[in-house]
Structures are given as structure tokens and as C-alpha cells.
Amino acid sequence: MNEKEMKSSITYSAVPEALGGPFVFWGSLPESMGLAAELGFDGIEIFPPGPEFLHQQDLKALSARFGIQVAAIGTGAGWVRHKLSLADSDNSVRSAAIEFLESMLEVATQLGAPMILGSMQGRSGPGVPKPLAKQYLREGLERLDSRARKIGGQILYEPLNRYETDQCNTLAQGSAMIRGLFCTKLLADWFHMNIEEADIAASIHKAGTAIGHVHFADSNRQAIGLGHLTVSPMIEALRSTGYSGYLSAEVFPLPTSQQAAYETIRSFEKYAKPT
Ligand code: LER
Ligand code: MN
């Protein structure tokens, strides 16, 4: 694998509460990694119920056995399972959210993978007007970033579409939110971007090297190629920023997990492999 090329990744979830969500593989992690390896993926993005799950797997051995890296660790279980968010009105819930995220950051860093902050960023609500929600989020990010700096970790902050959060919906808003942090980059999810950005390629270009990870999803959140996104200009924009991170398929397992994985790798090879 050339260090300068983009890398392919597929998602795996071990969170029953997220069933029906945009994750390709479910069930056995070794089997999923085996299938991903057979199809030629470089990495796997793991959505665990909590840090214990990652401690229980011998991920370093699995990685070596299948030749697949851990591309990133998702933290959405903190929200879907434990209802923890960085913008909760209750100080003790915000503290528990930080604690959960710090323990995930610890194990992600041990695995050499970045930790994603998506759903756990929360949103405004009763007792938490929008500016305060943003302030809580920034305070949380600062704390996590300084922890990451100490332990050599990396954080990926993900703007989400308006139906999931009112914190940051675009890459430009996300860039402002993470400004001045040292170990935090943006996660550009093409499903959310298709809803929120006026011009996806231009936004990628503008965010530039702040982008650390991509959720490689089509307009309908299916594998790239199964929706109506015009992919080439988006890949070109990434290329122009020198992006060499993952294109990770956070998509529905439709029509089946195997087919979603197959379509993803086919599209990856078509659009993102240098000719
Ligand atoms: C998480 O990566 C994400 O994109 C959210 O929509 C939660 O699924
Ligand atoms: Mn995403």
C-alpha cells in the first residue's frame, strides 16, 4: 500500500441497539475481517458497545492474521446505549460522557486508530440553548484533544445533518469548531454532506488537510454507486488536498452485507485507485 494513496475501509457494528443502522458487517468480528480481507479492504472501522468489547478481542492478532488495519473506532454507542452526550444539561451526564470517550480514546490509541466523535456531540435542548450546547461541545473537545496529545491519540469530529444535530452541519462549521486543537481532525461523511453542503467537492477542497477520515456513502446511505452522488469531483477534491486517509463505508447492509461490501470495493477501485 502506497502511503500517499487513499485506503479502503468497511464498517462493523457490535451494538444491538444500532440494528438497522448504517453498518455493513454484524455478528462475528473475525468472520467480518476475513470477508473484508478477501475483498481486498485495507481497514475495518469498528463500532463497539464500549471499551470492554475492544479489550476482549485480540485485535492486534486479528489485524496481523487478516492483514487489515483498524481504521477508526466509533463511539455512537455512548449515545444509543447509554444516552451520554457532551451537550447534556446535566453536568454529571456530561462528565460521564467524557469518561466514556476518554476510555474509548485510550483503547483506540492502543490499536493505533483514531476515535470518532459523532452522535455523542449532542444538540441543544431544554435548558441548553444552542450557544451553550456549542460551548459544552468545544469544552469536551478541548479536554479530549489534550488527552489525545498526552497519549499520542487522534480524534475525528464529525459534522452531522440537521436531523441529527444542530451543533455543526457542514465541514466549514466543523473546521471552526476544531480550530486550534492539535490532535483533532474532521470526519467528512458524504451522506450528511449530500444533505447540508451546497457544493460537496468545494467544501472538501476548502476544509483541506483538516479532513482526517471519510464516510464513503452514497446519497441514500447505501454503498457508493447505489445512489446518485457524482463521485469523481469529490475524489479529485480529496486528492488535491493530499488526502491519504480512509474511505470507510458507513452504509446500510443493502441489498445484503456482502453486496454492499462488494459494491464499495468496486467503487473504491473505480474512483480512488490511481490509474
Ligand atoms: C456516525 O458516523 C454518523 O454518521 C451518524 O449519522 C450516526 O449514525
Ligand atoms: Mn458518519
Side-chain angles (χ1 to χ4, degrees), residues 52-74:
E52 2 17 89
F53 174 87
L54 298 169
H55 288 301
Q56 283 153 12
Q57 319 290 319
D58 194 353
L59 263 163
K60 288 206 170 133
L62 287 175
S63 248
R65 177 168 150 211
F66 294 114
I68 295 243
Q69 304 300 307
V70 180
I73 298 293

Side-chain angles (χ1 to χ4, degrees), residues 158 160 187 189 192 215 221 250:
E158 180 174 20
L160 303 174
L187 196 173
D189 181 321
H192 298 302
H215 276 161
R221 220 170 202 183
E250 188 189 58

